[in-house]
Amino acid sequence: MISSFKKISLGSAAVLAGALLSTAASAQSTRTWVSGTGVDAGSCTRAAPCQTFAFALTTTAAGGEINCVDAGGFGSATITQAVSIICDNVEAGVLVGSGVDGITVSAGASDAVTISGLDIRGDYGALTGIRLNSAGSLRISNTRVHGFAAATSYGVTLTSSSALSTVIMDNVSISNNGSSIGGGGVFVSPASNGGTTLAVKHAAIQNNTQVGMRIDTVGKTGATVLVTVDDGTFTSNSTGILVKSPLGTGVSALTVVNSTLQFNGFGVVVNTTYAPFFGNNSITNNTTGLLLNGTSAATSFGDNRLGGNNTDGAFTTTITTK
């Protein structure tokens, strides 16, 4: 028989354990806040906001949301769960230095992540503005990524290992990234046997030292990339869009509509066995408008304006819309 003293002790232990669990649960909130004058302590409430995204993430429940009270610099962060960081109505800065990524997403295969209203700036050899390692979906809205100019830096790097990651980029500016060695605006290259679907709408991708958008499955056997660009502006990049999926590598499908590619060294470079589609685009004032490497092909819906380049190039197939 358990003595009365032992019963009391066990009961007290149970009460204490319950209290600890309750405290741990209460530390996770569905909505947290950061402020330029905040302090990284507590639970990041509206009345007592925290200072950095990194700390706020530790107090935010999976599927929760982080908001900005006012303008400030909120630091780099790594996201490992479903969460939204939304700061559309303030100047929400992320400034990172040498060897550092701005926002890294390493979430679960079914996790949904949203980043909206940020100004992500690289300085002193910073690596990548937004890096996707894994997630079910990632939405980047109303966001500027610029100044990531280390040796092979990109503003946005999508190299997900997830079987399928859906990425939406809406109303974004990706500029002044990359170096004379490599890098550029957006890099799409999922892991072998991984898949990335990317939809880009209302995007200004400009002044990137190398390529504005690079879709590349070289060495990624089994990888699948599906990219649609609608209302994109690719200007003053070394290459506006490069799609590189030669025979024996992964699969890529690219459709570009209602977009402008101008003042680039190359407007579009195609090196793939999968012909991309183009409709209602202006490809003008580039050194070379459209370059098809080897046996690569490109299909026009018949309403593109390909002209006024030093060398225009030509689509291999024209089809009519139905």
Side-chain angles (χ1 to χ4, degrees):
M1 179 180 295
I2 300 174
S3 69
S4 297
F5 176 78
K6 288 183 177 179
K7 288 181 180 180
I8 293 172
S9 298
L10 290 171
S12 299
V15 171
L16 178 59
L20 290 173
L21 288 172
S22 176
T23 300
S26 66
Q28 297 288 314
S29 303
T30 55
R31 185 183 299 273
T32 57
W33 301 82
V34 294
S35 167
T37 58
V39 177
D40 280 345
S43 54
C44 304
T45 64
R46 178 67 175 80
C50 297
Q51 186 177 35
T52 66
F53 289 139
F55 189 88
L57 283 166
T58 67
T59 69
T60 306
E65 183 173 317
I66 300 172
N67 297 129
C68 298
V69 176
D70 50 26
F74 303 114
S76 62
T78 297
I79 296 171
T80 59
Q81 63 183 23
V83 74
S84 297
I85 299 177
I86 299 179
C87 299
D88 289 327
N89 298 317
V90 301
E91 182 71 18
V94 174
L95 173 62
V96 295
S98 181
V100 180
D101 293 324
I103 302 292
T104 300
V105 180
S106 297
S110 61
D111 287 340
V113 176
T114 296
I115 298 168
S116 188
L118 304 189
D119 187 308
I120 303 174
R121 173 185 160 190
D123 207 357
Y124 309 115
L127 297 181
T128 294
I130 299 174
R131 181 184 299 275
L132 172 62
N133 292 328
S134 59
S137 66
L138 170 63
R139 184 182 185 96
I140 306 169
S141 302
N142 309 323
T143 290
R144 182 185 181 203
V145 183
H146 56 112
F148 289 84
T152 56
S153 292
Y154 282 88
V156 177
T157 295
L158 307 176
T159 51
S160 178
S161 61
S162 299
L164 177 60
S165 291
T166 300
V167 182
I168 297 174
M169 295 172 56
D170 182 20
N171 191 31
V172 296
S173 172
I174 314 293
S175 63
N176 300 103
N177 303 291
S179 72
S180 59
I181 298 175
V186 180
F187 181 53
V188 191
S189 184
S192 292
N193 298 316
T196 297
T197 299
L198 171 62
V200 180
K201 190 172 181 64
H202 309 311
I205 300 178
Q206 57 193 15
N207 295 316
N208 297 288
T209 306
Q210 296 296 323
V211 63
M213 177 181 291
R214 182 185 184 109
I215 301 160
D216 193 335
T217 63
V218 173
K220 306 294 182 68
T221 305
T224 301
V225 181
L226 308 176
V227 178
T228 301
V229 179
D230 185 359
D231 188 24
T233 300
F234 297 80
T235 62
S236 302
N237 308 285
S238 179
T239 299
I241 298 175
L242 167 64
V243 53
K244 190 173 183 180
S245 294
L247 185 65
T249 68
V251 176
S252 65
L254 169 66
T255 301
V256 182
V257 297
N258 306 318
S259 295
T260 299
L261 298 101
Q262 61 180 1
F263 307 122
N264 304 286
F266 295 90
V268 181
V269 176
V270 179
N271 182 8
T272 176
T273 55
Y274 310 93
F277 291 88
F278 296 84
N280 193 34
N281 301 294
S282 293
I283 307 175
T284 62
N285 295 303
N286 304 284
T287 304
T288 299
L290 174 62
L291 176 64
L292 305 178
N293 284 323
T295 59
S296 298
T299 300
S300 170
F301 290 121
D303 53 0
N304 294 287
R305 294 162 293 283
L306 175 59
N309 306 283
N310 290 355
T311 301
D312 288 330
F315 293 101
T316 53
T317 306
T318 299
I319 60 176
T320 57
T321 56
K322 298 179 182 179

